[in-house]
Amino acid sequence: MGYKVVVVGATGNVGKEMLNILAEREFPVDEIAALASRKSLGTEVSFGDRTLKTQDLEQFDFTGWDIALFAIGSDATKVYAPKAASQGCVVIDNSSLYRYDPEIPLIVPEVNADDIVRYKNKNIIANPNCSTAQMVVALKPLHDRAKIKRVVVATYQSVSGTGKEAIDELWEQTKGIYVPGQEVAPKVYPKQIAFNVIPHIDVFLDSGETKEEWKMVAETKKIVDPSIKVTATCVRVPVFVGHSEAINIEFEDFLDWEEATEILREAPGVMVVDKREAGGYITPIECVGEYATYVSRIRQDSTIENGLNLWCVSDNLRKGAALNAVQIAEVLGQRCLKKG
């Protein structure tokens, strides 16, 4: 006996990826519904070898459905997630709306799967920010060994994290630079993204940090350990898919880079590719379509007593969003709902 699953926002980048991953991982689905806004009503999306027609989210009755994977913005989620939850359907939400609610678990299955039982509080589970998800997968096994005091991270985030319009903007701007008279002015981003980097993701806060940077701090504390100090600089780069992060870690206890490498090789969800030679590391283009969080460039930081540096790369549409949501659904099924 399988599950009745709803994918909300099925025509977007993350929603389509959720459908792909549910099929790839052979999630035990008895029935599936693809929902979208009224303007996308009837649009066809793929689920394995099947084609689904999208249904109207506004009119949908979640009664009798087991799990709803939400991949829509916070405003719409605020309306429809409580509706689904109140009708007995467990919501796994990809927006930022519920991540910081103390009553709602924020889950990365490789890190804090045990917290999933707290879904009963509101029948909702939050999926973390894409940049946080890949980082904590790498941090947790090291934290278990040597206890992390402080993390300094600089991100290199792809445009797909913003959405389809941003992908189009990068593509059109790149082409336009080579064709006089066809230059494309920035609309999605405040400055040109083609052949450029922009140290600005989400809105600015009074502290001077952006909300994306604040998210990484708050979410790491909630998922891994509230005592960890985190400071982040989040940068948008002209890459279509795949987020990269340069991470500096300070531990309470000494951890040799060789031992850290072995720990990460054994860690769930992590793939170490780290040869100290040209090309002996992973770049964003190589992680596209993959499940793993890749770690490279593991080395001692000689400027502090107990420090390590590493490079972390992952497909942000997968581990950063859709894959993590499906993994949450798998853990929910195995540990709580127990139907599949």
Side-chain angles (χ1 to χ4, degrees):
M1 185 179 179
Y3 296 93
K4 295 179 68 176
V5 178
V6 182
V7 175
V8 181
T11 58
N13 289 334
V14 174
K16 289 177 181 176
E17 203 65 20
M18 285 173 169
L19 288 165
N20 289 338
I21 293 170
L22 285 166
E24 284 176 17
R25 292 174 73 90
E26 298 181 344
F27 188 82
V29 172
D30 264 4
E31 190 174 344
I32 189 158
L35 306 188
S37 62
R38 190 160 293 177
K39 67 180 181 181
S40 300
L41 191 61
T43 301
E44 294 186 341
V45 292
S46 297
F47 174 63
D49 58 2
R50 293 168 56 189
T51 299
L52 308 175
K53 282 193 173 183
T54 57
Q55 301 178 49
D56 185 4
L57 168 60
E58 191 175 330
Q59 301 298 323
F60 192 79
D61 183 357
F62 290 90
T63 305
W65 293 83
D66 299 301
I67 300 170
L69 305 179
F70 270 63
I72 53 178
S74 294
D75 290 344
T77 297
K78 192 173 185 177
V79 175
Y80 296 106
K83 174 184 174 184
S86 69
Q87 292 174 349
C89 182
V90 182
V91 171
I92 300 171
D93 176 37
N94 195 62
S95 81
S96 62
L97 182 63
Y98 295 111
R99 291 175 187 159
Y100 317 106
D101 185 328
E103 293 296 307
I104 291 177
L106 179 65
I107 301 293
V108 176
E110 298 92 337
V111 178
N112 63 336
D114 290 346
D115 287 348
I116 203 160
V117 295
R118 297 176 56 242
Y119 85 93
K120 294 179 181 178
N121 291 341
K122 294 188 177 180
N123 235 25
I124 297 172
I125 302 167
N127 206 28
N129 188 44
C130 48
S131 52
T132 306
Q134 68 187 69
M135 184 172 77
V136 298
V137 168
L139 292 182
K140 181 58 162 61
L142 302 177
H143 182 65
D144 288 344
R145 161 62 180 82
K147 193 167 186 185
I148 296 170
K149 289 172 60 177
R150 181 172 185 254
V151 174
V152 181
V153 56
T155 71
Y156 307 76
Q157 294 178 227
S158 66
V159 296
S160 58
T162 307
K164 183 181 182 301
E165 295 81 6
I167 295 173
D168 293 343
E169 182 156 297
L170 172 57
W171 175 246
E172 296 299 332
Q173 278 184 357
T174 303
K175 290 191 299 178
I177 284 169
Y178 292 103
V179 183
Q182 293 189 20
E183 296 86 355
V184 175
K187 293 181 181 177
V188 176
Y189 296 119
K191 297 196 177 189
Q192 176 183 306
I193 184 60
F195 303 99
N196 199 15
V197 298
I198 303 173
H200 171 197
I201 300 178
D202 212 322
V203 298
F204 277 92
L205 306 177
D206 291 342
S207 62
E209 63 188 340
T210 64
K211 194 170 182 182
E212 184 82 357
E213 292 157 355
W214 176 85
K215 288 174 187 175
M216 293 193 75
V217 176
E219 292 173 20
T220 301
K221 287 176 175 288
K222 184 171 180 179
I223 295 167
V224 183
D225 188 331
S227 70
I228 296 176
K229 295 179 180 179
V230 181
T231 183
T233 301
C234 294
V235 183
R236 192 71 69 187
V237 298
V239 170
F240 287 110
V241 178
H243 287 356
S244 306
E245 298 171 348
I247 306 173
N248 175 265
I249 312 166
E250 183 181 0
F251 298 92
E252 288 194 0
D253 302 316
F254 179 75
L255 179 59
D256 178 79
W257 72 268
E258 291 176 302
E259 183 184 353
T261 300
E262 290 309 309
I263 289 169
L264 289 167
R265 286 192 194 281
E266 299 298 319
V270 174
M271 179 74 71
V272 174
V273 178
D274 193 14
K275 297 178 181 178
R276 296 182 171 185
E277 60 187 44
Y281 40 79
I282 291 293
T283 58
I285 202 166
E286 297 158 283
C287 78
V288 176
E290 299 294 329
Y291 289 149
T293 294
Y294 290 90
V295 177
S296 308
R297 303 293 320 281
I298 305 164
R299 61 206 187 277
Q300 227 74 44
D301 175 5
S302 60
T303 67
I304 53 176
E305 189 173 353
N306 301 318
L308 282 178
N309 289 304
L310 55 85
W311 174 251
C312 178
V313 179
S314 189
D315 182 330
N316 56 292
L317 297 179
R318 291 207 154 207
K319 186 55 188 172
L323 171 62
N324 199 73
V326 173
Q327 288 176 309
I328 291 171
E330 290 171 346
V331 174
L332 178 70
Q334 293 159 6
R335 298 195 181 192
C336 305
L337 305 183
K338 298 181 179 180
K339 286 178 69 176

